[in-house]
């Protein structure tokens, strides 16, 4: 066979490089002709058989040579096919694989003659009942493009239909082929109208589909709800009109197992059917756009796609196929979703905006919302409904008409899709919207549903249909369906190829009323779907033929292994062969495909034993596949076999991403892997991801979706072994708190307190807590519980107050408020206990020992006591009547640490008052965070004053507060004096009588208004004296003399008049208040004089000087 003949296999130009497949087939034909040239037919057969017996490579050469002649030499096709049937030793498997390869990769380049011969070969394979011919037949159907009525496409559709019709008995042997053929030709019927040729083909398609639907309805049932969509499109054809009557009114006539159209609509459509309506070239282009093209750079690709496939009027119907494919099949990984890759909603928006037919536009919108209508969180995926809501959300600004028409369609489809099932459709749409909010696809729907850009009628309709989502951001109440519906049949089509974790579907039974042992309703719990898995025989024949004989034999033994022990022995032999020096590393990918198929059961169900013991853990890691992990642990990293095993795992990881968290489990649970957790890093670097952080997050996400118990089991080890990857961001923490329950939370808290787990560290905890503000309520509470289990000072995270808004972040505010209160209360309790054995040092220790409240505490200095920075953060919160946070904590500090709080507030007031008003406004406008103005402080103090009005607490009678208020009043403008007149009135009569220099720098706190309160409240004396003595010890230290500025006399205070201000201020409030205050002052004077004399000091003289 010369090169000229072989060149006719593919169309090419002089500029095209020689195709590799074509070159290989040419070599095979050359070998074939060299063996048979000049020989008789019998001699040629003997020569071919002799050559085939030499080994698999020779067998493959002859089979491919004969196959090529069938395609390129129609006159010799019959003879070559007969020879092929005689010499083939693998049941034509090599030929079937090559046909599939050509159909998927080279069909568009095939010469017309070769296409004709390929269909002829398919007919012969079907006639001969060759095993695997049904798969080739389905690949042929995939090449029949929707929306294309060109001669070549019509010819292919007609010829494949003829084969299926002629070989009807053969078709009926395969349920999947029946369903795929019905789905394909039901869809094509819509395109075939107009010319006599198309009408004739259409009638053949109608007869074919009607026959299979009536005779094998339950085989067609596996298509799911999209079968109803396709039947709706052809409902006006008389044959289908009669079928619809039976479906609606007499379902038992079709099958005893069929209960009605609702049963079909509640069954989701497998992605196999959705993918079969796109040609391989269309599918490749779409996948490229959704995985490689950056958002904003898609126009050239969209233009090419439109010119190629969407430029004719007939191609309008293809848009439905594309939209269903994008919604149901293209499920990007989390990594892609968080990147700048072109999102799915953008492609769908482009398809909708380029619709030129009203009918096509309506069908496209139905295709987009189709999974919404009967959405069930337990069976359907959030990824199927996500594109529709995002198209509406992102189109609101640039294309509000698109959003409006989609919202209008969503409202009107509820009563109009099928009136008898209106309640179910409403529930399905409601479930979809609820699930969207719960999964945080959109935080709230009110901005979308009640947007001013929508017209009034549409907004009114949305408020009528979905009042729960138009105003309140809280989760709505579930809509109840009036009549119960039983569903006996589910989709029996198992997606065996859908093993990738980002395609795995899980259900969140948020509306399920699961009762625990205490009878309480359990909140949002994560449950994997518990589907009845029908074990199908594993077919690895296509892969076996690509393996060496010795390795092939071992894989076959592994497949036939009856028990785990026997499989482990064979698996070890396979690993040993892989580690041999002469092993061909190119076979790793094929071997990985075999192992992935053989051990699918390993990746189903829960990995962690129900009862965790050493024995159960060792038994759980005794799976054959785990032998790869064991051998890896026993090898040194510089060993050449080490990298080979990593390459094998990398190939497995591409085909089965769950292998990642299985490796983590083995390294944690197996005794043989003790201390080897760092092997996971080597594994991550060997994968195509090549990055430890990305690989770890993807594996933990897969684990979260499959097995929450295992996630909790792995968490301590993951955080301990990979702190740089886990503690820097909240990604992993969010995965954990999103799915754990209260018992698992308590278990993690115990791990933290026992020192087995560290989930936060000082340098990153603030950033993580800020990230958590956007999480669900229970997730935030879990996060704060885990934080509180750590011994991280509260000062580390107090800056989070700058980010907290009282309406949006109640969870964080309540947790922070209680923690501030708890720390203070705990410290006071520790102080009270420490008093018993405190030893005071210094010259006056003998006297101090006799003074109640003399305490020397161990541990952190000032722990539990508010620092000035902490008070500043609290006061910097905006003042709002409904935000009680600042007032609450200030009131608590008033009771526990009033003297310290007074000093801090005095300092902050004077610092802010000393700044010019212009500088304050500039500073406030330039920084959104940590801004503290004089007006803010005064507003919070005024709120505190009102809160303390009817209490016995006299915080505002303390000298530092009165001094500071007087200082501010002296320099503030009239507007502030008027606004805070009640606050300033407390210090109006407070005068500075200290005209003489002070005799001592010691500040006797018991002679101040603070000590008057102590005398009036003896019950609280023990707690207050602790603060008093601490302040006294601080104030005995010499302070540097500060230079007075002009006007400072307004804030000074003398030893005699310091106590008169509060008495006179109280007198204005009434006789009773004046009497009480005077009584307190007198009592304080009697107490303080002998005490100061005993301490060897003088009566106190105030030395306050803010400058």
């Amino acid at each position: 066979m010369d090169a000229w003949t072989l060149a006719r296999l593919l169309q090419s130009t002089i500029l095209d490089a020689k195709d590799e497949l074509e070159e290989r087939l040419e070599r095979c034909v050359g070998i074939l002709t060299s063996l048979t040239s000049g020989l008789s037919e019998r001699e040629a057969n003997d020569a071919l058989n002799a050559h085939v017996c030499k080994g698999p490579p020779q067998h493959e050469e002859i089979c491919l040579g004969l196959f090529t002649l069938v395609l390129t030499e129609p006159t010799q096709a019959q003879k070559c096919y007969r020879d092929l049937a005689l010499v083939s030793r693998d049941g034509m498997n090599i030929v079937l694989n090559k046909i599939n390869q050509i159909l998927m990769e080279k069909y568009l380049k095939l010469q017309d003659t070769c296409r004709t011969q390929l269909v002829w070969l398919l007919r012969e394979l079907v006639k001969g009942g060759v095993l695997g011919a049904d798969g080739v037949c389905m690949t042929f159907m995939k090449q029949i493009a929707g929306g294309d009525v060109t001669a070549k496409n019509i010819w292919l559709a007609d010829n494949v239909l003829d084969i299926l019709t002629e070989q009807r008995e053969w078709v009926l042997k395969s349920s999947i082929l029946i369903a795929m053929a019905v789905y394909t030709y039901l869809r094509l019927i819509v395109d075939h109208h107009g010319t006599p040729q198309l009408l004739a083909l259409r009638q053949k398609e109608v007869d074919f589909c009607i026959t299979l639907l009536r005779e094998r309805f339950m085989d067609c049932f596996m298509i799911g709800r999209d079968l109803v969509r396709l039947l709706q499109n052809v409902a006006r054809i008389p044959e289908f009109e009669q079928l619809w009557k039976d479906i609606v009114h007499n379902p038992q006539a079709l099958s005893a197992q069929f209960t009605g159209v609702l049963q079909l609509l509640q069954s989701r459509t497998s992605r196999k059917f959705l993918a079969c309506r796109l040609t391989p070239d269309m599918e490749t282009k779409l996948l490229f756009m959704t995985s490689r093209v950056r958002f904003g750079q898609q126009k050239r690709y969209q233009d090419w796609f439109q010119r190629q496939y969407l430029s004719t009027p007939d191609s309008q119907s293809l848009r439905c196929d594309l939209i269903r494919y994008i919604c149901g099949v293209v499920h990007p990984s989390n990594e892609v979703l968080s990147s700048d890759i072109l999102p799915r909603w953008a492609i769908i928006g482009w398809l909708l905006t380029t619709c030129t037919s009203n009918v096509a536009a309506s069908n496209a919108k139905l295709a987009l919302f189709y999974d919404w209508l009967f959405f069930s969180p337990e069976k359907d995926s959030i990824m199927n409904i996500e594109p529709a809501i995002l198209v509406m959300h992102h189109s609101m600004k640039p294309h509000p008409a698109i959003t409006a028409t989609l919202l209008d369609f969503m409202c009107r489809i509820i009563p109009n899709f099928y009136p008898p099932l209106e309640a179910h459709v409403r529930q399905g749409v409601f479930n979809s919207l609820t699930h969207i909010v719960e999964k945080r696809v959109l935080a709230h729907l009110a901005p979308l549903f009640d947007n001013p850009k929508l017209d009034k009628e549409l907004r009114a309709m949305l408020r009528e249909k979905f009042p729960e989502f138009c105003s309140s951001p809280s989760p709505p109440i579930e809509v109840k369906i009036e009549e119960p519906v039983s569903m006996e049949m589910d989709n029996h089509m198992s997606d065996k190829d859908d093993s990738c974790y980002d395609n795995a579907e899980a259900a969140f039974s948020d509306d399920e009323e699961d009762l625990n042992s205490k009878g309480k309703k359990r909140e949002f719990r994560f449950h994997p779907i518990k589907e009845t898995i029908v074990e199908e025989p594993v077919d690895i024949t296509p892969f076996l033929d690509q393996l060496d004989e010795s390795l092939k034999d071992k894989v076959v033994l592994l497949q036939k292994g009856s028990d785990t022990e026997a499989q482990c022995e064979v698996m070890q032999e396979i690993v040993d062969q892989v580690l041999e020096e002469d092993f061909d590393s190119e076979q790793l990918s094929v071997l990985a495909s075999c192992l992935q198929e053989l051990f699918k059961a390993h990746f189903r169900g829960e990995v962690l034993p129900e009862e965790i013991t050493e024995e159960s853990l060792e038994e759980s890691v005794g799976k054959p596949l785990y032998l790869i992990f064991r051998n890896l642990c026993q090898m040194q990293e510089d060993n050449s076999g080490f990298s080979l095993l990593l390459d094998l795992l990398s190939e497995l990881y591409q085909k089965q991403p769950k292998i990642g968290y299985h490796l983590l489990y083995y390294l944690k649970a197996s005794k043989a892997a003790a201390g080897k957790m760092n092997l996971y890093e080597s594994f991550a670097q060997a994968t195509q991801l090549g990055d430890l952080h990305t690989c770890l997050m993807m594996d933990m996400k897969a684990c979260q979706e499959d097995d929450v118990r295992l996630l909790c089991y792995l968490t301590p080890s993951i955080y301990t072994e990979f702190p740089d990857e886990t503690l820097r961001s909240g990604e992993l923490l969010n995965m954990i708190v999103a799915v754990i329950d209260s018992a698992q939370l308590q278990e993690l808290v115990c791990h933290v307190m026992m020192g087995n787990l560290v989930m936060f560290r000082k340098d990153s905890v603030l950033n993580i807590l800020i990230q958590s503000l956007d999480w669900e309520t229970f997730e935030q509470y879990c996060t704060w519980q885990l934080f509180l289990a750590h011994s991280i000072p509260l000062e580390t995270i107090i800056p989070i107050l700058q980010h907290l808004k009282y309406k949006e972040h109640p969870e964080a505010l309540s947790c922070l408020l209680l923690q501030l209160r708890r720390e203070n209360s705990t410290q006071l309790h520790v102080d009270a206990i420490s008093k018993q054995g405190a030893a005071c040092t210094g010259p006056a220790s003998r006297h101090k020992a006799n003074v109640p409240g003399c305490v020397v505490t161990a541990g952190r200095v000032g722990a539990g006591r508010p620092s000035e920075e902490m008070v500043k953060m609290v006061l910097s919160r905006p003042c709002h009547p409904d935000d009680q946070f600042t007032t609450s904590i200030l009131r608590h500090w008033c009771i526990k640490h009033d003297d310290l709080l007074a000093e801090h507030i005095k300092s902050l007031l004077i610092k802010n008052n000393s700044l010019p008003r212009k500088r304050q406004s500039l500073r406030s406008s330039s920084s959104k965070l940590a801004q503290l103005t004089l007006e803010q402080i005064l507003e919070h103090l005024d709120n505190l004053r009102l809160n303390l009005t009817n209490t016995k607490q006299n915080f505002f009678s303390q000298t530092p507060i009165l001094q500071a208020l007087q200082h501010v009043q002296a320099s503030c403008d009239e507007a502030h004096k008027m606004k805070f007149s009640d606050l300033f009135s407390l210090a109006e009569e407070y005068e500075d009588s200290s005209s003489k220099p002070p005799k001592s720098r010691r500040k006797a706190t018991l002679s101040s208004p603070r000590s008057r309160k102590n005398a009036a409240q003896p019950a609280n004396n023990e707690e207050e004296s602790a603060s008093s003595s601490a302040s006294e010890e601080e104030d005995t230290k010499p302070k540097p003399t500060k230079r007075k500025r002009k006007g400072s006399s307004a804030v000074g205070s003398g030893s005699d008049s310091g106590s008169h201000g509060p008495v006179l201020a109280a007198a204005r409030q009434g006789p009773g208040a004046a009497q009480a205050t005077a009584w307190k002052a007198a009592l304080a004077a009697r107490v303080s004089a002998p005490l100061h004399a005993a301490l060897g000091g003088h009566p106190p003289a105030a030395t306050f000087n803010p400058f």
Side-chain angles (χ1 to χ4, degrees), residues 622-774:
K623 299 175 181 177
L625 194 60
Y626 286 6
L627 273 167
I628 304 175
F629 304 157
R630 184 186 302 175
N631 281 271
L632 201 63
C633 293
Q634 294 171 352
M635 302 177 72
Q636 299 295 326
E637 293 193 17
D638 55 357
N639 191 316
S640 60
F642 183 83
S643 60
L644 261 179
L645 288 184
L646 283 180
D647 290 342
L648 176 59
L649 284 178
S650 176
E651 293 289 345
L652 264 171
Y653 190 64
Q654 290 183 47
K655 298 168 173 54
Q656 177 52 272
K658 296 181 183 182
I659 198 77
Y661 73 76
H662 278 261
L663 174 59
L664 286 170
Y665 172 66
Y666 180 84
L667 295 174
K668 159 88 172 175
S670 174
K671 292 180 180 178
K676 298 280 189 178
M677 187 64 80
N678 61 322
L679 284 177
Y680 179 80
E681 186 171 356
S682 302
F683 161 75
Q685 292 168 354
T687 64
Q688 285 191 336
L689 298 172
D691 175 58
L692 174 60
H693 178 80
T694 305
C695 192
L696 184 63
M697 292 304 111
M698 289 177 68
D699 291 340
M700 295 304 284
K701 180 63 177 175
C703 182
Q704 179 221 41
E705 293 175 351
D706 290 347
D707 192 343
V708 179
R709 286 182 64 241
L710 179 58
L711 178 72
C712 296
Y713 177 76
L714 292 176
T715 294
S717 297
I718 299 303
Y719 272 94
T720 302
E721 297 293 336
F722 309 112
D724 291 338
E725 312 304 327
T726 54
L727 297 174
R728 288 178 181 173
S729 71
E731 185 178 355
L732 178 58
L733 179 64
N734 191 17
M735 287 183 205
I736 295 168
V737 298
V739 294
I740 59 174
D741 59 19
S742 53
Q744 290 160 338
L745 171 63
Q746 193 264 346
E747 182 182 345
L748 291 176
V749 168
C750 290
H751 278 301
V752 172
M753 298 190 69
M754 290 189 296
N756 301 331
L757 173 62
V758 175
M759 303 181 80
F760 301 99
R761 62 184 180 193
K762 289 185 181 180
D763 61 345
S764 58
V765 61
L766 180 60
N767 182 45
I768 292 176
L769 289 177
I770 291 172
Q771 291 178 40
S772 74
L773 298 179
D774 295 327

Side-chain angles (χ1 to χ4, degrees), residues 309-344:
Y309 297 113
L310 299 172
S311 58
T312 65
D314 298 299
S315 63
Q316 293 294 319
S317 62
L318 179 60
R319 296 174 193 274
C320 298
D321 301 330
L322 295 171
I323 291 173
R324 293 298 294 144
Y325 177 84
I326 292 169
C327 291
V329 180
V330 182
H331 290 179
S333 65
N334 290 335
E335 184 183 10
V336 173
L337 288 173
S338 61
S339 69
D340 59 351
I341 297 298
L342 179 65
R344 298 187 298 163

Side-chain angles (χ1 to χ4, degrees), residues 747-902:
E747 182 182 345
L748 291 176
V749 168
C750 290
H751 278 301
V752 172
M753 298 190 69
M754 290 189 296
N756 301 331
L757 173 62
V758 175
M759 303 181 80
F760 301 99
R761 62 184 180 193
K762 289 185 181 180
D763 61 345
S764 58
V765 61
L766 180 60
N767 182 45
I768 292 176
L769 289 177
I770 291 172
Q771 291 178 40
S772 74
L773 298 179
D774 295 327
W775 301 350
E776 297 290 341
T777 294
F778 184 72
E779 296 170 14
Q780 290 193 52
Y781 281 129
C782 289
T783 302
W784 280 94
Q785 290 290 316
L786 291 168
F787 165 74
L788 296 179
H790 292 71
S791 300
I792 297 178
L794 198 60
E795 291 84 355
T796 307
I797 60 130
I798 201 69
I800 198 176
L801 273 174
Q802 306 164 30
H803 301 267
L804 302 183
K805 300 178 182 177
Y806 76 98
K807 279 188 176 180
E808 297 176 18
H809 308 122
E811 302 90 350
L813 282 170
S814 59
C815 290
L816 194 57
L817 185 62
L818 292 175
Q819 177 62 6
L820 284 167
R821 185 181 188 280
R822 187 186 68 82
E823 281 212 353
N824 291 313
S825 302
T826 304
Q827 184 59 28
L828 287 171
H829 180 65
V830 172
D831 289 348
I833 295 174
S834 301
K835 284 192 311 180
Q836 306 295 330
C840 298
T841 59
S845 62
R846 181 165 48 86
H847 301 292
K848 288 186 178 182
N850 296 323
V851 178
C854 176
V855 184
V856 178
T857 58
R860 288 182 300 165
V861 177
R865 298 162 64 84
S867 63
E868 183 175 328
E869 183 64 23
M870 197 179 295
V871 176
K872 178 183 176 182
M873 287 291 177
V874 169
L875 290 173
S876 64
R877 289 185 57 74
C879 194
H880 193 280
D882 295 332
D883 185 3
Q884 303 295 330
F885 179 90
T886 300
T887 306
S888 301
I889 193 60
L890 288 178
R891 187 182 192 281
H892 176 73
W893 284 339
C894 280
I895 297 171
K896 303 297 182 184
H897 306 289
D898 57 348
D899 54 344
L900 185 61
L901 178 63

Side-chain angles (χ1 to χ4, degrees), residues 606-613 616-620 665 709:
E606 296 184 349
V607 179
L608 197 65
E610 192 65 33
E611 184 178 352
I612 301 177
T613 63
S616 63
L617 288 175
E618 281 301 316
E619 184 179 353
S620 69
Y665 172 66
R709 286 182 64 241

Side-chain angles (χ1 to χ4, degrees), residues 906 958-967 990 1051 1053 1102 1104:
K906 178 184 76 173
Q958 295 185 93
T959 299
I961 293 292
L962 297 172
Q963 289 171 341
L965 288 175
Q966 191 179 48
H967 173 67
Y990 185 71
V1051 294
S1053 62
F1104 172 73

Side-chain angles (χ1 to χ4, degrees), residues 19 74 118 246 284 378 411 548 652 761 873 891 935 1038 1049:
D19 188 85
L118 209 52
D246 288 340
T284 302
E378 288 77 19
C411 292
D548 291 339
L652 264 171
R761 62 184 180 193
M873 287 291 177
R891 187 182 192 281
E935 187 169 353
S1049 59

